[in-house]
Amino acid sequence: YEAETVSDEDTDYTGLGLAYDYGMGSLYGAVQSVSPDVGSSRTEFAMGVDYSLEDDFKVYGEYQDFDNDANDADDSLMSFGLVYNF
């Protein structure tokens, strides 16, 4: 939980995150409720999965939805990638 005040307007944030290791990778996600004094409340979420191909090399996919405006396609993001640690 977090509360923020900007220009005498309060916004409350309540969130929850989780992760599950399934052996060769992990599933993870988060959800957050945003409740401003002015404007509409919204629920934001993110989820992802990664898979280890080798000890230092993995692939991942993630999806986020920020729900700022139901008619705005820019509120959702999807990403895929490769990570190599050296």
Side-chain angles (χ1 to χ4, degrees), residues 7-74:
S7 302
D8 293 329
E9 295 179 8
D10 295 330
T11 303
D12 296 326
Y13 303 91
T14 305
L16 175 69
L18 60 96
Y20 175 73
D21 184 347
Y22 64 87
M24 291 299 292
S26 59
L27 301 169
Y28 46 91
V31 63
Q32 174 174 272
S33 173
V34 180
S35 300
D37 282 346
V38 177
S40 299
S41 296
R42 63 186 184 272
T43 301
E44 303 173 337
F45 70 91
M47 65 181 116
V49 60
D50 63 36
Y51 179 78
S52 294
L53 299 170
E54 293 290 332
D55 286 340
D56 295 325
F57 187 55
K58 69 179 178 180
V59 296
Y60 70 89
E62 297 179 341
Y63 178 77
Q64 301 92 28
D65 188 349
F66 302 112
D67 195 26
N68 287 328
D69 182 356
N71 297 322
D72 189 358
D74 292 337

